[in-house]
């Protein structure tokens, strides 16, 4: 299943008066993606994933801004409408055929949306380092996934002021 976000959010966003630098596109059957012009984060991720699968690159690292990691499957949150990282992970699985995907999220905020998207999914490893407690108030060390996904969510909450040594 390609869906990461509910249709109602996508319909709402299509009705918004968007600037010339942001638009909603359909790139794959039944998949809606957001991207910035002219070189969107998702376009970059898809291109790099394709090159890794084709053997043109040994590996790739995508520093995605915005990650969209607060956008949950059923709602926008924290200025994030789409979870670019979650969409890219599903693209890697459903289009490129990867069985497992790892997402490493290092940000001052916990990626509650990315965690929610894959919390019960054993095929996606989600690892987050973030300040805790801080917005959005999620990401406890004890949040490890549920059901078949138990153990595939790893949260490493850090206190404010922690630096390289603690990290």
């Amino acid at each position: 299943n390609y869906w990461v976000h509910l249709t109602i959010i996508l319909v709402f966003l299509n009705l918004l008066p968007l600037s010339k630098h942001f638009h909603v596109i359909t790139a794959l059957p039944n998949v809606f993606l957001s991207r910035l012009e002219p070189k969107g984060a998702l376009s970059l991720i898809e291109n790099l994933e394709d090159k890794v699968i084709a053997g043109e690159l040994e590996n790739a690292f995508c520093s995605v801004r915005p990650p969209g990691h607060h956008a949950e499957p059923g709602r926008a949150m924290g200025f994030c409408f789409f979870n670019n990282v979650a969409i890219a992970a599903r693209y890697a699985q459903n289009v490129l055929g990867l069985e497992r995907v790892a997402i490493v999220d290092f940000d001052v905020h916990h990626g509650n949306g990315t965690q929610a998207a894959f919390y019960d999914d054993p095929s996606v490893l989600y690892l987050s380092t973030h300040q805790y407690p801080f917005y959005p108030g999620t990401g406890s060390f004890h949040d490890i996934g549920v059901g078949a996904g138990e153990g595939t969510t790893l949260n490493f909450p850090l206190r404010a002021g922690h630096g390289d040594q603690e990290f």
Side-chain angles (χ1 to χ4, degrees), residues 29-124:
N30 299 324
V31 180
F32 293 85
L33 307 174
S34 66
R35 77 176 187 190
L36 298 171
E37 286 293 326
K39 294 272 187 188
L42 290 172
S43 298
L44 174 65
I45 292 169
E46 290 172 1
N47 189 336
L48 288 173
E49 287 176 337
D50 291 341
K51 289 183 182 294
V52 170
I53 296 300
E56 296 174 36
L57 295 173
E58 188 175 320
N59 54 48
F61 172 81
C62 300
S63 178
V64 179
R65 298 304 295 167
H69 67 173
H70 294 304
E72 295 185 349
R75 69 179 180 160
M77 193 174 164
F79 303 105
C80 300
F81 291 107
F82 290 100
N83 193 320
N84 294 320
V85 172
I87 293 169
R90 285 294 184 226
Y91 175 87
Q93 290 180 315
N94 295 330
V95 176
L96 300 178
L98 298 182
E99 292 180 25
R100 296 175 297 157
V101 175
I103 299 170
V104 179
D105 185 348
F106 49 97
D107 189 288
V108 70
H109 302 115
H110 177 249
N112 58 295
T114 306
Q115 177 174 294
F118 303 112
Y119 206 55
D120 62 353
D121 185 341
S123 70
V124 178

Side-chain angles (χ1 to χ4, degrees), residues 3 14 23 25 34 60 64 67 74 90-91 117 126 128 156 160 167:
W3 290 106
N14 276 312
H23 64 279
I25 61 168
S34 66
V64 179
R90 285 294 184 226
Y91 175 87
Y126 175 67
S128 176
F156 296 95
F167 187 76

Side-chain angles (χ1 to χ4, degrees), residues 141-162:
F141 182 76
H142 301 289
D143 295 342
I144 60 169
V146 295
E150 186 174 335
T152 59
T153 296
L154 303 173
N155 285 298
F156 296 95
L158 302 169
R159 285 191 224 154
H162 278 187

